[in-house]
Amino acid sequence: MHFPTAILSLALSSFAVAAPTATISSSDVTPAQLVAIAPQSVSCANVTSFASECRTAQQAAPFLNAAFAQYQTESVGQKAALLSLIAFETGDFRFNINHFPGRAGQGTRNLMMFPFVWKYALDTPEVAPQAQALAPGFTASSTVGDLNNASNSTKIGVLNLVLDDKFSWASASWFLATQCNPSVSAALDTATEAGWESYITQCIGTTVTDDRKAVYTAALAALSP
Ligand SMILES: *[C@@H]1O[C@H](CO)[C@@H](O)[C@H](O)[C@H]1NC(C)=O
Ligand SMILES: *[C@@H]1O[C@H](CO)[C@@H](O)[C@H](O)[C@H]1NC(C)=O
Ligand SMILES: *[C@@H]1O[C@H](CO)[C@@H](O)[C@H](O)[C@H]1NC(C)=O
């Protein structure tokens, strides 16, 4: 499955002389690749804490591939960055809600803070009317400060709307597509550590650590043709 895509991308890059870097395209992510990135996702059999949130690689794969298709997450570099973020934030797909320290309204599979959960809910047509009904005073342009001031019950209610698998596995792709500068997506397309660092620091707004980097490196190796 990988060979035709690899050959095509090589052929294209040899003609696209002006392009600074070749984008490596990829096909669907497999459960085996996900296990290479998130080793504990091989099974949820003995999980006792928050067990209802645990998903195996086998269960997660179709939702992740649907999300990549929906938000045009196409390059190996983008997929590696998103999958490594999800694996890192969720302890290998075991959490859908922030439990440590337990911030109200923080969750989905990239463990987004409530202001982004709110924006994601409003951007998701299936749940937007319910989100708006729960928080009539807020809009798409409400500030982070205002949104953080929402009551805990409002935050938890809105988060609950996007915890379903078909939404929660897509939030990392939504975030990259809508909340990051397009230059970050382009940097990720290069499938380099420098590109990934710009995503982590300029878009996710956190710091590069050896632990995070190791998961990204594993993801890149698992997905590379
Ligand atoms: C779960 O625990 C049982 C009993 O200790 C053990 O036999 C089994 O290998 C464990 N499964 C996984 C996937 O860790
Ligand atoms: C809201 O939840 C946070 C935890 O996220 C907690 O620390 C805080 O006490 C709660 N506030 C109220 C008013 O219950
Ligand atoms: C959030 O609530 C606090 C306490 O009520 C208030 O002082 C602050 O101005 C509010 N912030 C925003 C951005 O509304």
Side-chain angles (χ1 to χ4, degrees):
M1 287 288 281
H2 286 155
F3 289 107
T5 343
I7 289 163
L8 178 63
S9 100
L10 282 175
L12 287 174
S13 68
S14 64
F15 288 103
V17 190
T21 46
T23 298
I24 305 166
S25 48
S26 62
S27 45
D28 274 3
V29 168
T30 66
Q33 287 172 319
L34 293 179
V35 169
I37 299 164
Q40 294 192 93
S41 69
V42 71
S43 168
C44 289
N46 293 337
V47 171
T48 52
S49 303
F50 314 107
S52 66
E53 294 174 42
C54 186
R55 294 291 179 276
T56 64
Q58 192 81 40
Q59 292 171 319
F63 292 106
L64 287 165
N65 286 315
F68 291 156
Q70 181 181 355
Y71 291 101
Q72 281 104 48
T73 310
E74 281 161 5
S75 69
V76 163
Q78 289 189 20
K79 288 181 181 178
L82 300 193
L83 293 174
S84 61
L85 182 84
I86 292 169
F88 186 85
E89 295 290 341
T90 64
D92 290 358
F93 308 163
R94 293 190 169 186
F95 305 112
N96 201 13
I97 296 173
N98 171 269
H99 298 290
F100 314 105
R103 268 183 228 100
Q106 182 182 355
T108 74
R109 295 294 172 175
N110 55 343
L111 273 288
M112 297 193 290
M113 300 288 216
F114 177 71
F116 297 106
V117 167
W118 167 254
K119 288 173 198 287
Y120 182 47
L122 279 194
D123 262 2
T124 303
E126 295 95 321
V127 303
Q130 290 143 276
Q132 195 65 79
L134 284 171
F138 294 128
T139 67
S141 48
S142 292
T143 65
V144 167
D146 285 342
L147 289 164
N148 278 332
N149 265 1
S151 71
N152 283 353
S153 64
T154 297
K155 290 176 178 174
I156 292 165
V158 173
L159 174 61
N160 281 339
L161 297 174
V162 288
L163 290 180
D164 191 276
D165 283 305
K166 72 174 178 285
F167 304 130
S168 69
W169 293 101
S171 55
S173 282
W174 167 84
F175 192 91
L176 177 62
T178 65
Q179 306 298 305
C180 300
N181 190 296
S183 68
V184 169
S185 297
L188 284 178
D189 286 343
T190 64
T192 58
E193 215 168 279
W196 171 78
E197 287 185 4
S198 72
Y199 166 70
I200 291 295
T201 60
Q202 294 168 34
C203 187
I204 301 303
T206 189
T207 48
V208 168
T209 62
D210 288 346
D211 287 355
R212 278 187 190 274
K213 196 181 296 184
V215 185
Y216 171 69
T217 305
L220 205 50
L223 301 188
S224 289

